[in-house]
């Protein structure tokens, strides 16, 4: 690839599109009971075999009657009661009404429901009682018609939808007890670097506590992936190669962090070149830039294992994973989704930038003294400053060609989505 041979940076949008285009959705599915389907991805359209509501029913507590009767009377004989789950089986004739509760079946003959507040009845009513209404009713009032929400044959959820709490209710509401969903994708993860230590270890001079695996693993967990955590791998080409080989034989994707820049101990790219095909490894984004994507050759039944090589700096690893790898993994997991929506907001801080790379600065949504929605910067934006993103609730997205944005100018803001937010 041109960008790999020349070391040219791929524009951010092009990298995103290339990732999207390269990934094949998983085809492995399973049928699960609704209880286990939250956040799973539907592998087939969910189609309704019933209508909702299933019958005409009342939207109010009141009285069901014939609207045309008001031409000659405002008093009606109470002939029966229709409760939710216990319909009135008779027919409403001229001059008659049926006491009806919310959700109860509209009795035959009736074409409207008058709410009880407009009736003379106080407290309990008895059959045969004469009920007077203070104002006439028009036809079709306070009636929820059969099929007005869902008709037989309607697709209520599309293949590729990630199942939300409300979706579970929707599926239950049409009598669907289990659905076909995509099986969890299997993703291997490791951090590379001789200096990296676990938070439980004692720091020796020149070492740091590693954080990338914790961030990325958590987002993979939210994605519902089956995570194979290979831990910390030292800057040793033999061990790194072994980790990639082990992962590619058993996993759908492998994610590494660190070792993709041009330092002397950065072996990742050369190993990837040997074990597979690097598609691109430099993206014109900040934080980021060194970000490798490609495929690894596999020795198992699987056709392909994708790799995503994240930069080592913690903010860069987080942002490149979130912006580039995560959408690709969502597609791999079968999900069909829309791009995020950015909001044009005024910035309360001057945002430093030089043209060249798309910038994902970290911001906080806030209000100005006129109570208008605005954005502020979380401060120092270095790619190693993890607090700049832990304090944030949005990105301030500045296009590659943009310059410093002065306080008061309008910038594009991308609120953190469910994968990154608290
Ligand atoms: P590298 O991409 O390996 O050159 O690493 C760039 C910077 O990120 C260095 O300062 C590393 O110490 C740091 N770094 C690399 N991996 C991690 C990690 N897993 N967690 C936190 N910092 C890291
Ligand atoms: Mg390193």
């Amino acid at each position: 690839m041109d960008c790999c041979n020349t070391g040219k940076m791929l524009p951010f949008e092009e990298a995103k599109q290339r990732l999207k285009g390269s990934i094949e959705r998983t085809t492995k599915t399973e049928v699960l009971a609704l209880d286990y389907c939250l956040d799973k991805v539907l592998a087939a359209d969910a189609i309704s075999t019933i209508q909702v509501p299933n019958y005409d029913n009342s939207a109010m507590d009141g009285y069901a009657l014939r609207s045309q009767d008001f031409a000659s009377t405002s008093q009606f004989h109470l002939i029966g009661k229709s409760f939710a789950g216990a319909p009135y089986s008779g027919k409403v004739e001229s001059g008659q009404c049926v006491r009806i509760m919310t959700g109860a079946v509209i009795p035959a003959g009736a074409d409207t429901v008058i709410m009880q507040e407009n009736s003379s009845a106080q407290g309990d009513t008895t059959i045969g009682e004469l009920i007077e209404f203070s104002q006439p009713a028009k036809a079709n009032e306070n009636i929820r018609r059969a099929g007005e929400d869902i008709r037989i044959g309607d697709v209520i959820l599309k293949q590729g939808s990630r199942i939300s709490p409300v979706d579970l209710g929707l599926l239950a509401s049409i009598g669907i007890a289990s659905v076909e969903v995509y099986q969890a994708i299997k993703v291997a993860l490791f951090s590379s670097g001789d200096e990296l230590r676990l938070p439980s270890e004692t720091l020796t001079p020149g070492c740091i506590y590693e954080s990338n695996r914790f961030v990325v693993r958590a987002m993979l967990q939210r994605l519902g992936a089956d995570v194979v955590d290979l831990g910390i791998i030292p800057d040793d080409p033999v061990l790194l190669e072994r980790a990639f080989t082990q992962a590619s034989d058993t996993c759908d994707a492998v994610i590494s962090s660190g070792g993709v820049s041009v330092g002397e101990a950065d072996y990742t790219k050369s190993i990837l070149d040997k074990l597979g095909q690097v598609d691109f490894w430099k993206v014109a984004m900040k934080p980021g830039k060194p970000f490798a994507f490609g495929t690894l050759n596999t020795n198992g039944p699987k056709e392909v294992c994708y790799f995503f090589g994240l930069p080592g700096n913690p903010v860069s690893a987080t942002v490149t994973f979130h912006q580039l790898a995560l959408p690709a993994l969502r597609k791999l997991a079968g999900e069909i989704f829309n791009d995020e929506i950015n909001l044009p907001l005024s910035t309360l801080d001057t945002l430093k930038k030089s043209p060249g790379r798309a910038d994902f600065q970290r911001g906080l949504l806030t209000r100005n003294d006129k109570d208008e929605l605005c954005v502020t910067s979380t401060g120092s934006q270095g790619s190693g400053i993890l607090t700049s993103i832990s304090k944030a609730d949005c990105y301030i997205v500045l296009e590659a060609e943009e310059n410093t944005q002065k306080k008061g100018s309008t910038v594009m803001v991308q609120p953190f989505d469910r994968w990154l937010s608290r």
Side-chain angles (χ1 to χ4, degrees):
M1 288 293 164
D2 51 353
C3 64
C4 305
N5 298 336
T6 63
K8 205 176 132 216
M9 289 191 289
L10 202 61
F12 170 75
E13 276 307 324
E14 205 178 317
K16 209 170 150 179
Q17 291 314 319
R18 214 139 118 179
L19 276 164
K20 233 181 183 175
S22 308
I23 301 275
E24 298 282 348
R25 281 172 219 291
T26 180
T27 50
K28 287 177 267 174
T29 69
E30 60 189 332
V31 174
L32 290 182
L34 285 194
D35 292 356
Y36 304 99
C37 286
L38 180 63
D39 293 333
K40 296 277 179 187
V41 178
L42 264 185
D45 289 350
I47 296 169
S48 186
T49 56
I50 64 163
Q51 54 179 351
V52 179
N54 210 8
Y55 44 80
D56 292 350
N57 69 88
S58 180
M60 290 274 180
D61 290 344
Y63 296 86
L65 43 75
R66 296 155 28 114
S67 57
Q68 72 265 38
D69 292 356
F70 278 101
S72 52
T73 186
S74 61
Q75 294 186 325
F76 293 72
H77 281 286
L78 185 67
I79 56 162
K81 300 189 178 186
S82 181
F83 294 101
Y88 176 72
S89 55
K91 188 177 176 200
V92 180
E93 304 286 357
S94 178
Q96 297 179 335
C97 67
V98 164
R99 178 87 173 107
I100 193 162
M101 299 301 168
T102 305
V105 178
I106 304 292
D111 70 348
T112 191
V113 172
I114 304 189
M115 57 180 185
Q116 62 189 23
E117 288 79 355
N118 293 342
S119 78
S120 59
Q122 301 286 323
D124 279 353
T125 48
T126 42
I127 305 299
E129 193 178 328
L130 204 56
I131 303 207
E132 173 142 23
F133 295 99
S134 53
Q135 41 184 289
K138 290 191 211 98
N140 297 317
E141 277 184 329
N142 302 318
I143 296 180
R144 303 190 286 217
R145 290 291 175 195
E148 74 178 17
D149 181 4
I150 297 168
R151 284 159 305 170
I152 293 169
D154 278 357
V155 174
I156 59 146
L157 288 174
K158 285 211 158 103
Q159 175 191 359
S161 312
R162 192 169 284 277
I163 300 173
S164 74
V166 175
D167 293 340
L168 290 174
L170 197 58
L171 290 162
S173 78
I174 57 167
I176 290 183
S178 58
V179 285
E180 188 181 355
V181 296
Y182 290 107
Q183 284 180 26
I185 54 167
K186 200 167 171 184
V187 183
L189 170 66
F190 66 86
S191 292
S192 70
D194 285 343
E195 77 282 28
L196 305 179
R197 294 290 178 271
L198 293 172
S200 54
E201 292 175 335
T202 307
L203 276 189
T204 44
C207 292
I208 61 161
Y209 287 126
E210 85 114 340
S211 55
N212 294 345
R213 231 165 11 104
F214 293 84
V215 175
V216 172
R217 191 174 56 205
M219 280 197 264
L220 288 171
Q221 283 166 348
R222 282 192 170 173
L223 187 72
D226 179 1
V227 182
V228 179
D229 191 340
L230 300 176
I232 299 169
I233 315 274
D235 287 315
D236 174 334
V238 175
L239 296 177
L240 281 168
E241 187 169 332
R242 193 179 298 162
F244 274 114
T245 310
Q246 184 190 340
S248 64
D249 286 348
T250 52
C251 295
D252 301 298
V254 50
I255 298 165
S256 65
S257 84
V260 278
S261 49
V262 285
E264 284 188 7
D266 291 334
Y267 299 113
T268 307
K269 181 164 175 296
S270 51
I271 292 168
L272 290 172
D273 273 330
K274 181 176 162 195
L275 299 182
Q277 295 76 41
V278 178
D279 186 339
F280 59 84
W281 66 285
K282 273 187 182 178
V283 181
M285 66 186 289
K286 192 180 166 198
K289 194 159 92 178
F291 169 89
F293 168 68
T295 50
L296 291 169
N297 306 327
T298 60
N299 288 316
K302 280 185 312 85
E303 279 169 25
V304 66
C305 174
Y306 300 100
F307 71 77
F308 302 88
L310 310 180
N313 276 310
V315 181
S316 309
T318 304
V319 176
T320 54
F321 178 79
H322 182 234
Q323 290 288 335
L324 292 172
L326 188 68
L329 293 170
R330 286 171 72 186
K331 180 174 177 192
L332 181 63
E335 191 178 352
I336 298 171
F337 52 97
N338 295 325
D339 272 352
E340 56 292 318
I341 292 173
N342 293 354
L343 311 169
L345 295 178
S346 171
T347 170
L348 298 185
D349 296 307
T350 291
L351 307 166
K352 279 200 191 139
K353 168 153 189 341
S354 43
R357 292 191 271 163
D359 202 348
F360 292 84
Q361 301 204 8
R362 280 74 66 202
L364 264 173
L365 295 170
T366 184
R367 293 193 176 274
N368 64 11
D369 46 15
K370 292 188 205 126
D371 211 28
E372 294 160 337
L373 196 58
C374 291
V375 69
T376 57
S377 170
T378 56
S380 195
Q381 297 286 310
S383 59
I385 300 179
L386 203 50
T387 51
S388 74
I389 193 159
S390 91
K391 281 192 267 184
D393 59 12
C394 61
Y395 292 112
I396 304 168
V397 186
L398 305 175
E399 299 294 332
E401 66 278 6
E402 281 185 277
N403 249 309
T404 291
Q405 300 295 304
K406 290 233 170 67
K407 177 179 172 174
S409 51
T410 299
V411 291
M412 295 312 287
V413 172
Q414 189 180 115
F416 284 173
D417 57 17
R418 58 180 306 194
W419 314 104
L420 202 55
S421 59
R422 309 209 126 71

